[in-house]
Structures are given as structure tokens and as C-alpha cells.
Amino acid sequence: MTLLKTLMRARDPRKNVSPAMAATSQAEQIIAAATQEAKEILNRAHTIRSDAESALQEAAEKQQLLLQQALEEETRNLQKQAHTAISTMLDELKKETEGAVSSVVTDAGKQLDTVQHQLVATLALEQKKMQAGLEGVRRKKIHSLTATLQKEIPVIVKKVVGRSLALADHEALVREALDDAKHDTIWT
Amino acid sequence: MTTLYAPVMSVHEAQAATRRLQQAGKTLHQAHGKPASRLASVLTEVEYQQLKTQLGDSLDSMKPLEQALNGALAELEKRPRVLLELAFEPTHTFIAELKAWLTKHGPTPCLLELKMNPGVVGGVIVGWHGKRFDYSVGAKLNTYDEFPEVS
């Protein structure tokens, strides 16, 4: 049951004219206004949450792109280094083993292919890890933001309602609460 | 057990009454003359008249008087406390209303302890024997079901 339904229950202030009832009615109106304000705060909170989520998503994508570019660059460098190293090795072998040049060339080509395959696999694995990491960070941020909102909104609403009530409203609410208490077995 | 007091008293009233009864006990032993007349200056008019009604002819006898004072003191000490947490500072008139409510619907005799708690927002939280019975608007706001859920 919502707060409004709880507080507006089972009475029509227009039919009751006692000061207590009038005060209760006024209190209910104030609470209804505060509830409305709470809803507006809630709507704003949803917007903030949505904006924050978009901003986080955008930042994550940007970061991912930068990392991917860096990783690709690094891979290209590694490939280049591997190629140079193997070519040097090949040249040296050519000089040392005059009779078996063709077989050495074939082996060096296979090695180069293997290195390239390994680099591509490493790149894919790193990308996967990076995506999982960014998603974790994003979830954590959203969770923290939502938890803060969940904690803060009741505090704001309580302050608004508490400040809005006049002494007579407070007294009427206590009378009503004590009426409820009468039906419970508190003193056993 | 002797009681000189209303079934529901505030904690402050009980503390003041305890101090008066302790002072009356001391005065009884220290001074000369008729015992009851010494107490008239220490106790309130209501307390004195209540004592007079209870003791009747024994009012000037040392032992019954001492027993009555000690009994009243013990009765005050044994009273359980009812804690009412409110969101506002109540007026004397409203405190009287709360006492009347407790006399009619609460456990008597008892002591009424009032505590200001802005978290109550409206209504009241009743404390009895270490348990809290929450009839506050604050509690209703805590169960408001339209707050965002943590995903």
C-alpha cells in the first residue's frame, strides 16, 4: 500500500468538522503534497540515473576504443619485431648453412605464422577481459548511485513532511496513532 | 504498597518526588517536635494530604510515617517506563492528554518518558519493556514502495 493510501484511509474530512479531524485532514493534504514532491524527486532521480548511465556507457566505449587502438598498435609492433627477428635469423642461417637454405626458409615462415596467430588470439582474449572489467565498473557505479538515491529520497521526504506539519497537525496524528495502538496488545 | 501519586507520572515528576521523599525521610529523623508537621514543609500539599488520608490517626506516629514514605519511594522506583517518541515538543496540555490516555489504556502505575525524534515525522513510537511499537508517519514513509530498486 502506498503512503498516500495508508494516510488517506477510511475517512472523509468533508463530513467531519471536529478540530482534530480538520487537523488530520490538513495533515493528509500536506502529506499528499509531500508525496507529490517525492514523486517529482523520484522522476528527477530517474533522469539523473539515466544520464549517469549514458555518461558511463559513453566513457566506457571511449575507453574501450582507446585500449583497443593501443592493443592493435602494440600487436602491429610485435608482429614487426617478430618479422625482423625471424628475417635476421633467416639471414644468419643463410650465411651459415649454404646447402639447406630452402628448408630453413620454410620453417621460418611457419614460425612467423604461429607468432601472428598467437598475437591475434591474445588480442581477442584481452578485449574480452577489458569488456568484462568495464561492465563490472559500470554495474558497480550504477549500483552505488541507485543505493544512494534509495537512501536519500526517504530522508528528503521525511524532512519535507516533518517541517510542513503544524503543532495541531502533530497532535492529531499522535491521537490517531494512539487510536491504532489501542487495538494492539502492546502492554502484555 | 503505599502510593501517594497519580497512576501516570512523567519521569521528571517522579525524580522530583523521589528527592522530596528522601528529604522527608532525613527531616523525620533529624528534627524535634511532631513528625507530621516537619514533613509539611518538605512535601507538596497534595502529597501531604494523601499521606494524611492514608495514615489517619497514625500521622504523628514515627513508624507508620516512615513506612509510608519508604513505601511511596519503593513504589516510584518500581514503576515501569512507557517511552513515547514524538516529532515535536508537546505542550503541557498535550502531555496531560497523553497521561490521561495512558491512565485509561496503558499499564498503570507507570512513568511517562517523552523523547523528541524528528525521524518520527508524525504520529508516535511507543517503547515498552525494550520493544518499540511504531505508529509513525516515518515508518510509513520507509515502506513507500515506489523508491528505485537497486539493480
Side-chain angles (χ1 to χ4, degrees), chain A residues 22-181:
Chain A
T24 306
S25 165
Q26 200 184 344
E28 283 169 352
Q29 281 172 13
I30 290 163
I31 290 165
T35 307
Q36 183 58 37
E37 194 166 331
K39 278 183 181 167
E40 282 166 18
I41 291 167
L42 202 61
N43 288 337
R44 284 203 293 278
H46 281 309
T47 311
I48 292 167
R49 182 182 167 177
S50 168
D51 288 352
E53 204 165 351
S54 303
L56 276 169
Q57 182 69 35
E58 201 179 315
E61 280 168 7
K62 211 176 263 180
Q63 200 180 352
Q64 191 174 344
L65 189 68
L66 285 172
L67 282 170
Q68 198 168 336
Q69 282 172 349
L71 209 56
E72 279 169 3
E73 180 66 28
E74 192 66 24
T75 308
R76 274 197 296 275
N77 287 340
L78 282 170
Q79 279 177 334
K80 212 173 171 182
Q81 281 172 20
H83 194 271
T84 308
I86 291 166
S87 297
T88 308
M89 192 171 72
L90 183 66
D91 287 345
E92 282 175 3
L93 282 171
K94 262 185 191 172
K95 283 176 200 168
E96 286 177 14
T97 57
E98 288 296 328
V101 173
S102 60
S103 65
V104 171
V105 171
T106 311
D107 287 349
K110 275 182 187 171
Q111 279 181 323
L112 192 60
D113 280 349
T114 308
V115 169
Q116 277 174 336
H117 278 123
Q118 278 177 354
L119 285 171
V120 169
T122 307
L123 174 70
L125 195 68
E126 283 304 313
Q127 276 178 333
K128 260 188 182 174
K129 277 186 193 170
M130 193 171 60
Q131 277 169 352
L134 288 171
E135 182 59 23
V137 170
R138 194 183 72 85
R139 274 180 186 279
K140 224 173 178 177
K141 289 274 179 200
I142 296 285
H143 189 275
S144 151
L145 192 67
T146 312
T148 307
L149 286 174
Q150 213 173 19
K151 208 172 147 189
E152 286 303 316
I153 287 171
V155 175
I156 294 166
V157 174
K158 279 180 187 177
K159 278 183 187 169
V160 170
V161 176
R163 276 202 300 259
S164 307
L165 295 175
L167 186 67
D169 302 331
H170 273 300
E171 290 179 353
L173 283 171
V174 172
R175 283 184 199 107
E176 198 172 313
L178 290 175
D179 262 348
D180 290 344

Side-chain angles (χ1 to χ4, degrees), chain A residues 3 35 39 42 143 146 150 153-154 157-158 161 165 167 170-171 173-175 177-178 181-182 184 186-187, chain B residues 88 94 97-98 101 105-107 121 123-124 126 128 133 135 138 140-142 144-151:
Chain A
L3 168 71
T35 307
K39 278 183 181 167
L42 202 61
H143 189 275
T146 312
Q150 213 173 19
I153 287 171
V157 174
K158 279 180 187 177
V161 176
L165 295 175
L167 186 67
H170 273 300
E171 290 179 353
L173 283 171
V174 172
R175 283 184 199 107
L178 290 175
K182 263 196 300 197
D184 297 342
I186 296 178
W187 318 115
Chain B
F88 65 105
F94 195 64
E97 191 179 328
L98 292 174
W101 186 88
H105 303 288
V121 184
V124 66
V126 182
W128 174 248
F133 301 89
Y135 301 95
K140 284 164 190 163
L141 284 171
N142 285 339
Y144 189 39
D145 57 9
E146 286 183 32
F147 292 134
E149 282 175 16
V150 177
S151 55

Side-chain angles (χ1 to χ4, degrees), chain B residues 103-115:
Chain B
T103 306
K104 197 171 176 187
H105 303 288
T108 52
C110 70
L111 298 182
L112 169 62
E113 184 179 357
L114 292 168
K115 188 180 166 189

